[in-house]
Amino acid sequence: MQWRFGEFTLDLDARRLQCDGREVHLSPKAFDLLTHLLSKRPNVIAKPDLIEHLWPDTIVVEANLANLIAEVRAALDDRAGDARFIRTVHGVGYAFCGDAVEPPSHTGALAFDRWIEWGTHRFPLPRGEHIVGRDPEAAVRLDSSTVSRHHCRLIVNADRTVLEDFGSKNGTFVGDRRVSEPVLLEEGDTIRIGDVLVTYRVASAADSTDTYIVRR
């Protein structure tokens, strides 16, 4: 899954930014910031919402966000006074203002071979990054007071799914082990997010199509 804008390509699976095929360095937080701005374009995202997205349940000063914006602009050879990609809305926040070709839409028919089960709920996991939390916009929304707004995330690549906790108050556990660093998930893993139990599922090779189809 790739975003393309100007001479740049942002590869969500590989988590890499390229300019005309040349690798451009971005720190993990800067990568997440650019991805989030792209996904919400052309809407302006308020500074508090960006801070909450990047540093969930953590108190940080606004200067941290300004430093990340400066890092993204430097990587894109962008300038605040003559923005091609990152627009400052003074007193409010930031927006992605350039033209971009986005990854295939997840609306309509969607094939997937991995998902999260929570009771009768099934959350498909196509390739890319999926935020898990109480936030209404979370890809895997768990409506429980023990779950943080942005509690953890799942990074889905072609052949694996990695779970990362965001330093949540009530923690994320795979089995009895608390997640303190990225964990590679396996079919059938039980994950406790706050006090919510979910199960990670992978379609077996015995399935006739190797994928499931969901319509949203």
Side-chain angles (χ1 to χ4, degrees), residues 33 36-37 45-55 65 69 93-94:
L33 171 59
H36 194 52
L37 290 171
I45 307 178
K47 293 178 183 179
D49 293 337
L50 283 170
I51 289 172
E52 174 63 22
H53 177 78
L54 295 165
W55 295 278
L65 176 60
I69 288 289
Y94 302 95

Side-chain angles (χ1 to χ4, degrees), residues 69 73 76-89 94-99:
I69 288 289
R73 281 181 168 145
L76 301 179
D77 194 24
D78 203 16
R79 289 172 292 280
D82 185 23
R84 295 175 60 207
F85 302 117
I86 308 299
R87 179 168 66 95
T88 300
V89 181
Y94 302 95
F96 189 91
C97 59
D99 293 328

